[in-house]
């Protein structure tokens, strides 16, 4: 068996490579043309990349033959899959020269601005070692679809929309699209998995890539994405470890937070993501945490991640986020990305005794075991066409289940097409497309962008891309008897005049956000145009002209809404992805009943945030403190703890039907070995149409713990036909990776269940008004 496998691998390594490379490069070239955008670190071009690869391989082979005493005469046999990934990694490691080891612990993507050509349009790569059958590692972004210059791909709705589905099965399908399409392009490492907790800073420009403010929801959704990616034999990644919660000054921001605060918030999301998905790579972040850069923070990397959580894979740096050779290696960083500025000196550091040989070997072992674990050796990919129909359907379904209906006064929605003769559609290029988020998560949609605009500054390097899915067209299709007119929304007066002449007005408002920036406020702030469009004023003017004004928001996260009382309906569509137009129209006209719930609180005002003003750096090099004194009180926990009423609470979302929760009961099995409890109830669809409800269980901890009033500990999304009911049981298990019953005890460095009285609530949002008491239970005396 072993021999047969080796032969297959050897054929793949020797002869399949050239063909595959050509196809990949052709795709990369096409992708760059259609994208029409310089990449973030723009590659000069792709022609010649195959040649470069072959030259590199030849050079490396030359180096090896000169340096590796025992490598060449006996052909190497790849250790068989019957061995564990660790055993296989060790067997390969035993054959490697020191130079080969160092080759694996850094990227070959080049220094900032170096214009190194990276094969396949990836954002970095690690050339493999053909004689040992170690494949090249091609790393590409993919939080919301395949990114970088890889090629056109399905632009999914934002990750935060996936979180807003509260559905891990749907989230798995979302991750599957990313994993499958990466594999179609023969990219074998994905840099998705952004699980930073933006509830600390809702103005964060990367909110759209993340999964919201609750560590358990965020961790579970991220784990579903990553599991699906790795099931496609693509290495998954979770990032940015840790506390990379604002983009302003991200290279020098020094997050100050107490141990318990971080264990129960940002780190808990990572812990769940790491443990539930068996992710094999972690990306450390740009910022500092408690005075030390994340990528050389031994407490984060070694004590917590590799120690407490037993993470077996490897830690790579964020792009150019490595700051040292010895300190970083000793602290636990395993791979510098995308270049070798520091880790190229590891050989000298080892021979000089500053870095133990065992540490270098462990770095390589971790990288190899990750590659074995995910199947990179055993399941090489071949170029395939993207299945745009299947993947587009997942994009649309995610948006249909993740868009959140925030207001629906007087049953304004769903619209009744048969009674509509005139509709005004206003703003946000709704005639051609929907907005997407910028930065490294940017996807080039299949079919190309509907529209691109300038490079807002900050971040200055990321272009505004509108995905090709026209809400106007979809609305026209669903309202065939109506005259549907479009106004671009740049002039509030003409927009209002049109709205005054139609039965209803649908205003699309949008807030572009991107990696490399935070938004200046939570109002709709136009960062795209040199003469900004005041969209708050636009909505107010339209609402004054038409009492049936419906607002559709395309944003990365939370907003404040000064016009809320004057409009009749509001739909939060996030960045809706390239089937977003159809999904939005389906919801507006009732072909789909909305079931998304907010994974992030919408505050009433920035004054209510833990940090009303974003901490800013004094200059580009001096570390500056970002004091997370709110600790674990992130998102709804902050508002609860401070008695603040948000505009819309975490967990909130309306439906076109109604549900009742009856006969709730609590069963507790709080034995020592397996403490858990179950909440059982009857959920009934009491309204006129089929719909899905997200039943949410919150837990109030004993007051002695000092925890916030409640935390989300479980949920279930249930689809019911009108009049139907279902007995639902939600189990909350302390042995789960989310430690739902515990607090982090600093003195024993462990999770503990405190003695005292626990209160269990059930309902359909985090607001006390929508929760009912299920019961209480006592732990200990
Ligand atoms: C981002 C990462 C991304 C990397 C590679 C960095 O700037 O912070 O999230 O994976 O670039 O594109």
């Amino acid at each position: 068996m072993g021999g047969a496998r080796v032969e297959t691998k050897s054929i793949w390594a020797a002869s399949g490579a050239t063909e595959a490379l050509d196809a990949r490069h052709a795709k990369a070239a096409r992708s760059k043309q259609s994208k029409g955008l310089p990449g973030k670190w723009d590659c000069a071009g792709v022609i010649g990349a195959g040649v470069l690869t072959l030259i590199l391989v030849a050079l490396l082979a030359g180096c090896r033959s000169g340096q590796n005493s025992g490598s060449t005469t006996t052909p190497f046999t790849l250790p068989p899959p019957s061995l564990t990934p660790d055993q296989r990694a060790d067997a390969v490691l035993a054959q490697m020269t020191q130079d080969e080891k160092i080759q694996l612990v850094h990227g070959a993507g080049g220094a900032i601005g170096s214009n190194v050509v990276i094969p396949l349009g990836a954002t970095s790569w690690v050339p493999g070692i053909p004689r040992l059958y170690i494949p090249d590692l091609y790393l590409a972004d993919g939080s919301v679809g395949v990114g970088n210059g890889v090629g056109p791909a399905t632009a999914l709705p934002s990750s935060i929309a996936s979180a807003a589905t509260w559905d891990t099965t749907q989230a798995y399908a979302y991750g599957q699209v990313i994993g499958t399409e990466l594999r179609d392009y023969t990219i074998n490492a994905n840099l998705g998995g952004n699980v930073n907790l933006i509830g600390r800073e809702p103005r964060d420009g990367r909110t759209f890539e993340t999964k919201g403010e609750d560590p358990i929801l965020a961790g579970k959704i991220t784990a579903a994405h990553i599991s699906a990616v790795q099931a496609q034999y693509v290495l998954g990644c979770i990032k940015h470890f840790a506390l990379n919660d604002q983009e302003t000054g991200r290279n020098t921001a020094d997050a100050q937070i107490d141990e318990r605060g971080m264990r129960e918030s940002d780190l808990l999301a990572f812990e769940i993501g790491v443990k539930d998905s068996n992710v094999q790579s972690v990306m450390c972040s740009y910022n500092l945490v408690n005075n030390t850069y994340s990528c050389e923070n031994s407490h984060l990397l070694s004590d917590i991640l590799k120690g407490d959580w037993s993470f077996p894979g490897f830690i790579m740096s964020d792009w150019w986020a490595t700051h040292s050779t010895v300190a970083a290696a000793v602290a636990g960083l395993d791979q510098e990305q995308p270049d070798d500025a520091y880790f190229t000196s590891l050989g000298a550091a080892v021979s000089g005794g500053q870095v133990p040989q065992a540490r270098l070997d462990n770095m390589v072992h971790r990288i190899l075991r990750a590659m074995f674990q995910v199947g990179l050796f055993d399941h090489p990919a071949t170029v395939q066409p993207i299945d745009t129909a299947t993947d587009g359907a997942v994009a649309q379904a995610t948006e249909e289940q993740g868009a959140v209906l925030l207001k629906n006064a007087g049953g304004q929605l769903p619209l009744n097409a048969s009674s509509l003769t005139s509709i005004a559609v206003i703003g946000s290029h709704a005639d051609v497309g929907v907005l997407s988020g910028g930065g490294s998560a940017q996807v080039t949609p299949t079919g190309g962008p509907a529209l691109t605009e300038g490079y807002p500054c900050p971040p200055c390097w990321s272009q505004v891309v509108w995905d090709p899915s026209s809400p106007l067209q979809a609305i026209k299709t669903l309202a065939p008897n109506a005259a549907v007119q479009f106004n671009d929304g740049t002039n509030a007066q003409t927009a209002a005049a049109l709205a005054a002449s139609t039965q209803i007005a649908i205003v699309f408002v949008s807030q572009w956000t991107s990696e490399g920036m935070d938004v200046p406020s939570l109002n709709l702030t136009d960062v795209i145009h040199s003469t900004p469009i005041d969209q708050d004023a636009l909505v107010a003017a339209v609402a004054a002209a038409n009492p049936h004004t419906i607002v559709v928001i395309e944003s990365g996260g939370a907003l404040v809404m000064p016009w809320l009382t004057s409009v009749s309906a509001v739909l939060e569509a996030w960045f809706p992805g390239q089937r977003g137009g159809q999904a939005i129209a389906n919801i507006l006209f009732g072909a789909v009943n909305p079931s998304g719930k907010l994974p992030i609180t919408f505050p009433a005002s920035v004054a209510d945030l833990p940090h009303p003003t974003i901490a800013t750096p004094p200059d580009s090099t001096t570390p500056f403190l970002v004091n997370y004194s709110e600790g674990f009180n992130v998102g709804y926990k902050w508002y609860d703890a401070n008695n603040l009423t948000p505009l819309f609470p975490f967990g909130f979302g309306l439906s076109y039907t109604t549900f009742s929760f009856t006969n709730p009961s609590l069963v507790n099995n709080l034995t020592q070995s397996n403490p858990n409890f179950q909440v059982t109830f009857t959920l009934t669809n009491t309204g006129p149409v089929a719909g899905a409800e997200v039943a949410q269980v919150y837990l109030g901890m004993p007051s002695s713990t000092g925890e916030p009033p409640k935390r989300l500990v479980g949920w279930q999304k249930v689809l019911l036909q009108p009049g139907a009911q279902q007995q639902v049981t939600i189990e909350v298990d302390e042995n789960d990776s989310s430690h739902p019953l515990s607090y982090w005890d600093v003195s024993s460095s462990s999770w503990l269940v405190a003695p005292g009285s626990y209160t269990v609530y059930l309902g359909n949002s985090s607001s006390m008004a929508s929760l009912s008491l299920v019961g209480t239970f006592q732990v200990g005396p």
Side-chain angles (χ1 to χ4, degrees), residues 1-58:
M1 282 304 286
R5 184 164 292 277
V6 169
E7 201 178 303
T8 312
K9 300 304 293 184
S10 135
I11 289 166
W12 168 74
S15 69
T18 318
E19 250 179 59
L21 275 172
D22 287 343
R24 290 162 187 167
H25 295 145
K27 273 200 171 197
R30 275 202 308 278
S31 129
K32 277 172 186 281
Q33 279 156 15
S34 70
K35 194 171 180 181
L37 316 170
K40 177 173 161 190
W41 303 287
D42 192 18
C43 304
V46 290
I47 299 167
V51 175
L52 179 81
T53 308
L54 294 175
I55 292 170
L56 259 174
V57 167

Side-chain angles (χ1 to χ4, degrees), residues 40-41 123 141 148 191 206 239-240 250 283 286 318-319 440 515:
K40 177 173 161 190
W41 303 287
T123 188
D141 283 296
N148 314 126
L191 306 173
R206 303 188 78 168
K239 68 186 187 184
H240 311 81
R250 65 177 178 175
M283 183 190 292
Y286 286 116
D318 200 341
W319 268 225
S440 57
E515 177 186 348

Side-chain angles (χ1 to χ4, degrees), residues 160-213:
I160 202 166
S162 175
T165 67
W166 291 59
D167 183 343
T168 49
T169 306
Q170 187 62 37
Y172 190 91
Y174 183 100
Q176 209 163 21
V177 170
I178 297 171
T180 311
E181 295 193 2
L182 283 167
R183 194 170 161 77
D184 289 341
Y185 278 113
T186 67
I187 295 282
N188 55 9
N190 172 228
L191 306 173
N194 187 342
V195 75
N196 294 129
L197 272 194
I198 41 65
R200 283 189 197 284
E201 186 40 81
R203 290 159 295 195
D204 186 315
R206 303 188 78 168
T207 303
F208 73 95
E209 295 179 43
T210 72
K211 287 85 189 174
E213 69 192 24

Side-chain angles (χ1 to χ4, degrees), residues 77-117:
T77 302
L78 191 69
S82 55
L83 300 180
T84 66
D86 286 309
Q87 290 169 329
R88 298 176 86 188
D90 281 340
V92 176
L93 181 66
Q95 300 293 318
M96 293 175 74
T97 67
Q98 193 78 333
D99 284 351
E100 285 171 338
K101 291 175 185 173
I102 289 167
Q103 181 184 326
L104 284 201
V105 297
H106 62 77
I112 297 182
S114 63
N115 273 348
V116 165
V117 175

